[in-house]
Amino acid sequence: KSNTMKKFMAITLSLGLVVAAQAQLEVGLKAGVNLASQSTNIDGADYGSTTGLYLGIPVRYYINDNLVFQPEIAFMQKGSSFDFETSVPGFFETKVESDGKLNYVEIPLMVQYLIGDGDIQPFVQAGPSIGIGMGTKSTGTSTTTVTDPFTGSTTTETEDFDDSGSFEDAGLSGIDFGFGIGAGAVMEAGPGDLSLNLLYNLGFANILDADTAGDNKINNRGLAIMLGFVLPIN
């Protein structure tokens, strides 16, 4: 039985190497922006969009002429702009306006369907994605107005901040996962292919630290717009 199993494994490995050798493989670079935002159920929090970077190294494996599997490793900035207000009427009011960037190593696993067989091929794509948090950066302004309850006079203090740190320091989980859907087009360009990619990522993970989140939730969202160029490697 042991010899039979060894022969089976050897044949399987040989077939895998033959398929890989015959398959059309491409590798390249992608660069663009991620129009990031977040959703939350936290009362008083108002999240807007922010613009982050996207830099990726895609590998394209052609299953056939129209179906492509594209794993990728990328640097991706997620996050949001953030407005928060809290007050005790007649005593104080605090307003915070900030822009927060969350830096991730992102690993999307996309399946693309190429439409037609011309020099320019539109495509649709979908697939899961996982992000590993690398660090955070937050910049903004905090304004606090204090009211003297006896005289009614007010004092206002404004403070600018620029903070960087770890996900743990920010009370966030270091793992994000979601699902991406999108479209684009690929065209021949010299020895390789040039592509335009639009990818909307819907984050499923609550990125708040599970030990302190309670019922609060924050989920990443984002529309990435990227240009890419790939070269065949076999």
Side-chain angles (χ1 to χ4, degrees):
K1 293 181 180 179
S2 178
N3 289 335
T4 301
M5 181 60 70
K6 289 179 180 179
K7 290 180 181 179
F8 175 76
M9 293 179 65
I11 292 172
T12 302
L13 178 60
S14 298
L15 289 174
L17 291 175
V18 169
V19 172
Q22 293 179 344
Q24 184 179 346
L25 292 175
E26 297 176 334
V27 65
L29 295 172
K30 285 168 65 176
V33 296
N34 183 37
L35 306 179
S37 61
Q38 294 174 321
S39 65
T40 185
N41 63 350
I42 300 174
D43 291 338
D46 183 15
Y47 287 89
S49 63
T50 188
T51 302
L53 293 175
Y54 187 103
L55 300 171
I57 301 175
V59 176
R60 293 172 61 78
Y61 169 72
Y62 279 76
I63 299 171
N64 57 44
D65 290 342
N66 295 95
L67 195 60
V68 177
F69 174 56
Q70 182 177 284
E72 187 171 340
I73 184 166
F75 169 77
M76 186 177 189
Q77 288 185 313
K78 305 179 186 181
S80 65
S81 61
F82 174 79
D83 294 337
F84 183 79
E85 295 185 19
T86 183
S87 65
V88 176
F91 291 91
F92 75 90
E93 180 182 69
T94 297
K95 295 182 179 179
V96 178
E97 298 178 350
S98 70
D99 185 87
K101 298 286 197 305
L102 307 178
N103 299 327
Y104 287 90
V105 172
E106 194 78 10
I107 305 173
L109 303 172
M110 293 292 115
V111 175
Q112 297 179 346
Y113 181 75
L114 305 177
I115 302 169
D117 56 2
D119 292 337
I120 299 177
Q121 288 181 285
F123 64 81
V124 291
Q125 61 181 339
S129 182
I130 185 169
I132 303 170
M134 304 300 292
T136 69
K137 183 177 179 63
S138 179
T139 59
T141 302
S142 174
T143 302
T144 300
T145 300
V146 179
T147 301
D148 187 315
F150 299 104
T151 65
S153 62
T154 60
T155 303
T156 300
E157 292 186 4
T158 299
E159 180 182 1
D160 295 327
F161 57 87
D162 186 344
D163 300 323
S164 299
S166 67
F167 274 67
E168 182 179 5
D169 292 339
L172 301 175
S173 167
I175 299 295
D176 188 24
F177 61 87
F179 193 85
I181 55 174
V186 61
M187 64 177 292
E188 294 182 7
D193 291 327
L194 182 68
S195 67
L196 170 65
N197 290 263
L198 302 176
L199 184 66
Y200 181 77
N201 190 268
L202 180 66
F204 295 146
N206 181 8
I207 65 169
L208 290 175
D209 190 315
D211 293 334
T212 58
D215 294 329
N216 294 327
K217 295 180 180 180
I218 297 177
N219 299 94
N220 284 318
R221 304 281 188 266
L223 175 64
I225 304 171
M226 302 155 286
L227 287 175
F229 185 77
V230 293
L231 289 168
I233 60 175
N234 65 340

